[in-house]
Amino acid sequence: MRLLTFTHRQQRQLGILDEDGRINVASWPNALEDVLERGTLPSRSAQYLDPAEVRWEAPLRPRKIIAIGQNYVEHIRELGSELPEKPVIFAKFPSGAVGHGEEVCWEAALTQKVDWEVELAVVIGARCHHIREEDALECVFGYTVANDLTARDIQRSEGQWIRGKNLAGFCPLGPVVVTRDEIPDPHALRLSTQVNGETMQAGHSGEMHFRIPHLIAYCARMFTLEPGDVILTGTPSGVGMGMKPPRFLGDGDVVRVAIEGIGALETRCRVQ
Ligand code: MG
């Protein structure tokens, strides 16, 4: 099932994206958070909408967002870093989650170096604290696409990544959450980024240094994972900072991050 959250006539609703591209409006519930909390898939209704009629929201309001840095070997090389011995973890604020087609705006006086990072995002569907790696995928509800937007100049200016990773709107998510049953192998997916139609990243989720079951088990040793938590699993090579010369996002740019089997998530950039 491919689930989305949208606003139509000022109402936030849950929908099911059908194969023909139409949105079936769920008769129950109104929000993906309720699906995750109750562990019951939504019910269909007789009402359909055209995707062009709605405003796409982030498919869920994440409870927490745990992000993994430096998790693709070629990306680690382009940064000139060593392979980490354990996952590099940081946090993104749930309030930064925005949907497909959203405009993200930042101040030129604050950052000149905003970069893209396509990432496979894991949506947790079950509460877990301590879970064996071999059981870890059982707590996954589904998968979505994330753009881990990053202000490189801020990130590099201080030890904490909190500011550089968390400007308003810096976590586009979507366009849909695809339930786990439709993605039998999350390490067999192509990922890509295009800026104004030009390909910047072209990677494969099989290139992850630490794989998803390991990441979940590792996180659940320390944190309690809860339904609605989202884990961003790192980005492949091709970020702007790694290019020669480096390239960054500017006013009017459209960045499109896509993952095979899930969809394409577009963000419009506005610099003030
Ligand atoms: Mg990242």
Side-chain angles (χ1 to χ4, degrees):
M1 203 173 249
R2 307 168 71 77
L3 300 168
L4 73 145
T5 298
F6 61 90
T7 301
H8 181 64
R9 295 181 180 153
Q10 281 87 51
Q11 204 177 356
R12 186 174 183 260
Q13 288 178 284
L14 181 65
I16 300 152
L17 189 64
D18 280 341
E19 277 184 12
D20 64 6
R22 291 191 306 165
I23 297 169
N24 181 264
V25 182
S27 64
W28 178 93
N30 286 329
L32 188 54
E33 295 84 65
D34 293 329
V35 171
L36 292 161
E37 201 55 54
R38 301 220 194 162
T40 310
L41 286 173
S43 311
R44 303 173 70 92
S45 73
Q47 188 189 357
Y48 285 88
L49 291 171
D50 186 297
E53 292 179 73
V54 306
R55 175 178 173 159
W56 294 66
E57 307 285 350
L60 75 161
R61 292 184 175 134
R63 193 172 286 201
K64 58 180 171 286
I65 303 174
I66 300 166
I68 310 298
Q70 302 176 16
N71 200 32
Y72 281 74
V73 177
E74 286 301 317
H75 175 59
I76 296 164
R77 288 209 183 105
E78 77 181 339
L79 299 177
S81 304
E82 298 288 316
L83 277 182
E85 290 175 10
K86 57 181 191 294
V88 174
I89 293 187
F90 60 96
K92 286 180 79 89
F93 296 151
S95 61
V98 296
H100 170 59
E102 196 63 60
E103 183 175 277
V104 174
C105 182
W106 61 87
E107 287 177 48
L110 207 51
T111 173
Q112 296 280 322
K113 295 186 176 177
V114 175
D115 206 346
W116 52 83
E117 294 190 355
V118 60
E119 308 210 5
L120 177 61
V122 177
V123 179
I124 299 295
R127 189 180 174 85
C128 63
H129 182 210
H130 296 300
I131 189 165
R132 296 188 310 171
E133 222 171 288
E134 51 267 46
D135 300 328
L137 287 183
E138 287 171 22
C139 74
V140 173
F141 173 80
Y143 302 92
T144 188
V145 184
N147 189 352
D148 176 18
L149 289 172
T150 306
R152 297 292 182 204
D153 37 7
I154 300 176
Q155 182 191 25
R156 298 229 145 173
S157 71
E158 53 204 13
Q160 287 279 350
W161 292 2
I162 290 179
R163 282 202 311 140
K165 289 285 189 179
N166 285 295
L167 299 193
F170 262 29
C171 195
L173 285 178
V176 295
V177 170
V178 178
T179 50
R180 174 171 52 119
D181 58 301
E182 294 198 13
I183 301 195
D185 183 0
H187 295 105
L189 307 174
R190 285 191 297 262
L191 302 84
S192 65
T193 298
Q194 293 185 325
V195 178
N196 305 328
E198 183 184 349
T199 298
M200 302 297 183
Q201 294 185 281
H204 191 278
S205 60
E207 299 162 7
M208 282 184 204
H209 180 43
F210 297 108
R211 293 195 158 217
I212 292 165
H214 182 79
L215 295 173
I216 291 171
Y218 183 77
C219 289
R221 278 180 67 191
M222 298 165 290
F223 322 127
T224 301
L225 296 179
E226 298 172 287
D229 287 351
V230 174
I231 302 175
L232 309 192
T233 56
T235 199
S237 61
V239 298
M241 183 176 62
M243 294 182 170
K244 292 181 177 55
R247 290 179 61 171
F248 298 104
L249 294 168
D251 189 38
D253 283 346
V254 176
V255 54
R256 180 183 189 271
V257 290
I259 300 181
E260 189 180 12
I262 304 176
L265 166 69
E266 272 190 10
T267 302
R268 291 176 295 123
C269 303
R270 183 67 55 214
V271 184
Q272 289 182 329

